[in-house]
Amino acid sequence: MLSNISELLAHALALELEASERYTDLAELMEVHNNYDVARLFRKMADIEKLHVGHIRELTKRHRVQNLPDVSYRWIAPDGPESTDPIDLHYLMTPWQALKLALVNEQRAHAYYAGIATSTRDEETRRLAQELAGEEAEHVGMVKNWMAKYPEPEADWDHDDDPPFLQD
Ligand code: ZN
């Protein structure tokens, strides 16, 4: 349970930084696949998460938190944190799969903040966690809207008749 605002800020900073980096990765990946629509969405999401990073940094200053606890945060693959390489961005990843990866992590971020909001006894921490949970809920909605535009891939999506030339 998070008992104070600086812990929440540290976690939020790690979470938002990771999200903005992952969205940038996903945007680049979609550009490689010439899917500029989805790439644009991911760039937009990366920008939104970057704004959040700025917001969290601002709050850190406002609360005069000198040293944020060192926290690391990583996205997980849709099949869970068990996978050894959580963000193996397969070169054949379809928009649907990229969006699914984003969805899972947005839902996770939402659940994380919402969990703090309900469990913390610190009123200020609770309020900020609630605000952040609300933002993540919006992201979940945005990603879901996009997923509705892209069908779930066939079971053999990773079969490639003409694999790209690999340099060694
Ligand atoms: Zn988000």
Side-chain angles (χ1 to χ4, degrees):
M1 192 209 321
L2 292 188
S3 53
N4 65 57
I5 198 91
S6 64
E7 265 180 80
L8 174 56
L9 288 170
H11 283 82
L13 187 62
L15 191 151
E16 309 289 349
L17 274 172
E18 169 77 355
S20 83
E21 278 169 28
R22 289 304 150 206
Y23 275 122
T24 302
D25 290 347
L26 288 177
E28 282 164 8
L29 189 72
M30 289 297 111
E31 278 155 12
V32 168
H33 289 287
N34 300 316
N35 193 322
Y36 298 105
D37 280 351
V38 180
R40 248 194 309 277
L41 168 74
F42 287 144
R43 293 249 178 245
K44 187 172 145 199
M45 297 302 290
D47 287 345
I48 291 172
E49 305 290 7
K50 247 177 256 165
L51 285 177
H52 288 176
V53 170
H55 178 58
I56 301 294
R57 291 219 161 102
E58 189 58 42
L59 288 172
T60 304
K61 261 190 240 158
R62 210 186 299 163
H63 286 85
R64 299 182 198 287
V65 178
Q66 297 298 334
N67 296 303
L68 279 187
D70 196 15
V71 171
S72 75
Y73 186 89
R74 292 286 164 261
W75 271 25
I76 57 166
D79 42 332
E82 301 83 22
S83 33
T84 44
D85 185 5
I87 20 229
D88 174 22
L89 301 178
H90 194 289
Y91 75 98
L92 281 171
M93 189 185 257
T94 64
W96 188 90
Q97 284 166 318
L99 289 161
K100 175 81 182 170
L101 176 66
L103 179 66
V104 164
N105 286 283
E106 293 291 359
Q107 285 172 331
R108 190 165 158 247
H110 173 261
Y112 174 73
Y113 289 134
I116 293 168
T118 53
S119 67
T120 186
R121 293 200 192 95
D122 181 68
E123 177 55 23
E124 193 182 28
T125 304
R126 194 189 62 74
R127 240 181 300 128
L128 178 59
Q130 217 162 37
E131 183 191 315
L132 293 168
E135 285 171 352
E136 298 307 334
E138 264 174 51
H139 299 176
V140 168
M142 289 167 84
V143 174
K144 273 189 177 161
N145 284 345
W146 276 79
M147 280 183 93
K149 297 182 201 175
Y150 288 88
E152 195 167 346
E154 305 283 318
D156 67 344
W157 66 273
D158 61 352
H159 178 77
D160 194 339
D161 286 327
D162 183 22
F165 179 72
L166 296 175
Q167 277 178 317
D168 48 10

